[in-house]
Amino acid sequence: MKHNFNAGPSILPRVVFEEASRAILDFNGTGLSILEIGHRTPLFEAVLQEAVSLVKELMQLKEDKEVLFLHGGASTQFFQLPMNFLSKDTTAAYLDAGVWGSKAIKEAKLFGNVKVVASSKETQYDRIPDSYSVPDDAVYFHYTTNNTIEGTQMHAIPAVNIPLVADMSSDILSREMDFNRFDFIYAGAQKNIGAAGVNLVVANKGFLEKGNTGIPSMMEYRQHVANGSMLNTPPVFAIYVCLLTLRWLKSIGGVAAMEKINEQKASLLYNTLESLPIFHLPVAPQDRSLMNAVFTMKDPDLEASFLQACKEEGMVGVKGHRSVGGFRISLYNALPLSSVETLTTLMKHFASKHG
Ligand SMILES: *Cc1c(COP(=O)(O)O)cnc(C)c1O
């Protein structure tokens, strides 16, 4: 029995793996694999349509939203977004609260001016900057809802007067949120919604209309909208895995039910870590992430033996990101509470042996 705490690609529900495997051999009783059917067939069109309508339903989106499934990871959105909306004589505002956000900033600078409204880089991104103002004349404000590497999460939606853009790669559909407040949301699928190779984009129709022209077709959101995510061959299998994961999420009660389970998992883990003095939590308590819990050990010499103990229990993905060190436990939607219970039991045993 494995306990999969990987940060991404990461655990998906067991039923998703089972159904995806069946569809590789025989998709819906057609005698054909999902991997060998044309994307412009009614068979695949039904997959895409159901995935889009489940996104609209689960996120409770209003009529003015477009849902797209696009190629590439979230990193493609780092440059595709400014390529569509920024130019040499305009400015986009960014919050710098983590490694992923700083990469988005770097890419945006290739297309126009960037105003970084605040940064927590000097304290190794151990918190979300809490006082900043966003200029009203910027073309959009971009932030990362959950900083996957550093283990911080923005618990409130910032109030701004300009189009609001968010990278939600590592916490999309994990908690209730007014998704309609955003003009543009993107998320690489491989953390909470499916398999690597596809991006979910949810955006206001009116905002997309304002995009730049004269950029490559595959980069222009308007063209993807006009062609219903089928400007070229979409990542068929990755989208199918998203559909299966979205169906599973709906079956367990949707985002509200998911949030309750995620809160249970995170509070069990954080409470255990706080109760055991051998562990250290570097992140400001008010900004702790419900998706990625980062911690170190006060005695660094114990880290190797803790890692070994985790390994013996079948735990994978507990090592921290190479840029941060220590440990990171990812608690994405599909991770069962029982895996966190096994981990916290191990932590208590380990602490009583070494504390
Ligand atoms: C994982 C991650 C990315 C990068 O995703 P890729 O699909 O590998 O490009 C970007 N932003 C956040 C918040 C992430 O968690």
Side-chain angles (χ1 to χ4, degrees):
M1 167 88 190
K2 290 284 182 194
H3 299 281
N4 184 355
F5 301 106
N6 275 327
S10 41
I11 187 169
L12 290 172
R14 181 82 204 165
V15 327
V16 170
F17 294 139
E18 286 164 357
E19 283 193 44
S21 315
R22 276 198 295 275
I24 286 182
L25 296 173
D26 181 3
F27 178 57
N28 282 357
T30 55
L32 293 168
S33 167
I34 179 84
L35 301 178
E36 63 180 340
I37 58 169
H39 57 291
R40 297 189 197 280
T41 57
L43 282 173
F44 183 71
E45 277 170 4
V47 168
L48 187 58
Q49 262 172 30
E50 188 187 342
V52 167
S53 66
L54 278 171
V55 168
K56 289 184 175 165
E57 181 184 339
L58 290 163
M59 294 174 82
Q60 299 178 21
L61 299 177
K62 296 203 175 122
E63 282 299 307
D64 64 344
K65 295 285 191 236
E66 286 290 345
V67 174
L68 299 171
F69 286 94
L70 302 183
H71 288 268
S75 306
T76 302
Q77 294 308 306
F78 291 169
F79 70 85
Q80 191 170 356
L81 175 82
M83 188 184 260
N84 276 264
F85 299 108
L86 193 57
S87 59
K88 294 291 172 209
D89 48 12
T90 60
T91 299
Y94 279 73
L95 184 66
D96 179 28
V99 167
W100 290 120
S102 73
K103 290 190 180 188
I105 291 167
K106 179 169 170 258
E107 303 287 279
K109 285 180 177 165
L110 298 170
F111 298 93
N113 306 298
V114 171
K115 166 82 184 155
V116 176
V117 298
S119 172
S120 50
K121 188 168 188 201
E122 290 208 338
T123 53
Q124 283 73 53
Y125 297 123
D126 66 339
R127 64 196 58 232
I128 306 280
D130 62 358
S131 64
Y132 52 86
S133 64
V134 177
D136 280 351
D137 59 351
V139 289
Y140 60 78
F141 173 56
H142 176 287
Y143 79 105
T144 311
T145 50
N146 183 72
N147 296 291
T148 325
I149 293 172
E150 299 83 0
T152 63
Q153 188 170 28
M154 222 131 121
H155 298 295
I157 300 173
V160 293
N161 302 319
I162 59 173
L164 184 59
V165 173
D167 174 0
M168 297 195 184
S169 294
S170 54
D171 68 350
I172 194 158
L173 295 172
S174 69
R175 54 174 169 160
E176 285 196 288
M177 228 178 171
D178 184 358
F179 295 106
N180 290 303
R181 280 185 52 192
F182 295 85
D183 294 82
F184 192 99
I185 293 167
Y186 63 93
Q190 68 271 22
K191 281 128 190 180
N192 263 336
I193 37 179
V198 67
N199 265 312
L200 174 65
V201 167
V202 172
N204 276 5
K205 290 183 178 133
F207 182 63
L208 296 180
E209 285 306 317
K210 287 186 286 195
N212 297 332
T213 51
I215 58 178
S217 302
M218 279 296 288
M219 289 294 111
E220 197 179 323
Y221 295 118
R222 248 190 319 263
Q223 297 208 34
H224 287 285
V225 172
N227 290 277
S229 298
M230 293 238 241
L231 191 52
N232 73 331
T233 314
V236 169
F237 188 63
I239 294 173
Y240 182 64
V241 176
C242 290
L243 169 63
L244 297 176
T245 311
L246 294 164
R247 278 186 190 155
W248 166 82
L249 181 56
K250 183 178 172 179
S251 78
I252 66 154
V255 178
M258 191 74 259
E259 178 173 19
K260 289 211 177 72
I261 301 169
N262 285 335
E263 278 172 353
Q264 259 184 307
K265 291 185 291 188
S267 64
L268 174 60
L269 180 55
Y270 283 118
N271 289 342
T272 305
L273 285 164
E274 282 198 321
S275 71
L276 302 170
I278 64 165
F279 295 107
H280 169 66
L281 287 152
V283 166
Q286 73 277 8
D287 296 328
R288 280 176 193 161
S289 166
L290 269 64
M291 290 283 103
N292 312 94
V294 167
F295 60 92
T296 59
M297 301 190 84
K298 285 185 189 145
D299 175 3
D301 292 343
L302 284 180
E303 292 194 350
S305 56
F306 181 69
L307 204 58
Q308 182 57 29
C310 290
K311 204 171 158 189
E312 281 161 18
E313 286 283 324
M315 293 174 184
V316 298
V318 299
K319 216 171 150 87
H321 189 269
R322 58 189 188 280
S323 66
V324 174
F327 300 90
R328 170 177 52 176
I329 300 299
S330 294
L331 305 163
Y332 298 127
N333 285 356
L335 183 84
L337 177 62
S338 57
S339 285
V340 184
E341 288 166 345
T342 308
L343 173 64
T344 51
T345 303
L346 179 146
M347 285 171 161
K348 285 178 202 151
H349 284 158
F350 190 87
S352 64
K353 217 161 94 188
H354 298 275

